[in-house]
Amino acid sequence: MTTTTPPGAADREGITMNGLRLIRRHAAAFGRFAGLGSGVTLAASAALVLLSRWIPWMAVNALTTVASTVVATELHARVSFGHGRPVWPAT
């Protein structure tokens, strides 16, 4: 019994259409992750500089660190990975 393979099938080295789709989906999620993370970091840096005029640096640094972590976590959950609103597991 002889089987025929499409031309160029050996050149692909096992990458299927599902594999390419998965790679694209992960690449898109990584792009959203990096973009949102960069945006939150830039916003936190701007807030740090602006708030440091009225509040001591150490306090502003702690405040912006906590706030940017919460905001970035929420954005990554909702936008980057598309899980919607994160909820605590039921105990």
Side-chain angles (χ1 to χ4, degrees), residues 68-80 84-86:
S68 66
T69 300
V70 169
V71 169
T73 301
E74 187 72 17
L75 283 174
H76 288 315
R78 289 184 182 206
V79 179
S80 297
R85 178 144 178 83

Side-chain angles (χ1 to χ4, degrees), residues 25-77:
R25 188 172 19 162
H26 286 298
F30 178 74
R32 289 189 303 270
F33 179 82
L36 287 172
S38 299
V40 169
T41 300
L42 289 173
S45 298
L48 178 74
V49 171
L50 291 173
L51 290 174
S52 67
R53 295 179 182 180
W54 300 286
I55 305 172
W57 273 94
M58 284 178 51
V60 174
N61 190 17
L63 180 68
T64 56
T65 298
V66 170
S68 66
T69 300
V70 169
V71 169
T73 301
E74 187 72 17
L75 283 174
H76 288 315

